[in-house]
Amino acid sequence: MSITQQYALDAYRARQHGEPPVPAPGAHDWQMMRELRDYQQFRAVIADRPARGRLRRALARRLHLRPRPTR
């Protein structure tokens, strides 16, 4: 069963039971990505690592470039 078919079935069941409709697939993707980024930054702080700019510094090390000075 595809995600679209599952959504249609869930929407139909919700309508039959008088419940609010379920959110469409992909409706909250950006919110989930922001929450994931915040969680990763939180875990970095807990592990005593810098929370920002980690990806840029890692890429700079891989490419043998000088990282920009932090403010």
Side-chain angles (χ1 to χ4, degrees):
M1 181 179 296
S2 73
I3 192 167
T4 306
Q5 292 169 334
Q6 183 65 46
Y7 169 72
L9 182 61
D10 291 342
Y12 173 77
R13 287 179 180 163
R15 190 173 43 237
Q16 292 297 317
H17 292 245
E19 298 172 355
V22 295
H28 301 289
D29 287 352
W30 287 112
Q31 178 182 356
M32 191 272 310
M33 293 303 291
R34 281 191 290 274
E35 290 175 5
L36 178 62
R37 181 199 62 209
D38 292 345
Y39 178 73
Q40 288 173 336
Q41 289 176 353
F42 170 75
R43 295 294 297 173
V45 169
I46 296 299
D48 200 26
R49 296 188 314 255
R52 292 203 168 267
R54 291 178 18 210
L55 178 61
R56 184 177 293 143
R57 281 193 294 274
L59 288 173
R61 279 194 306 267
R62 283 294 242 186
L63 299 174
H64 303 290
L65 301 174
R66 287 185 56 168
R68 297 171 111 186
T70 58
R71 297 180 196 182

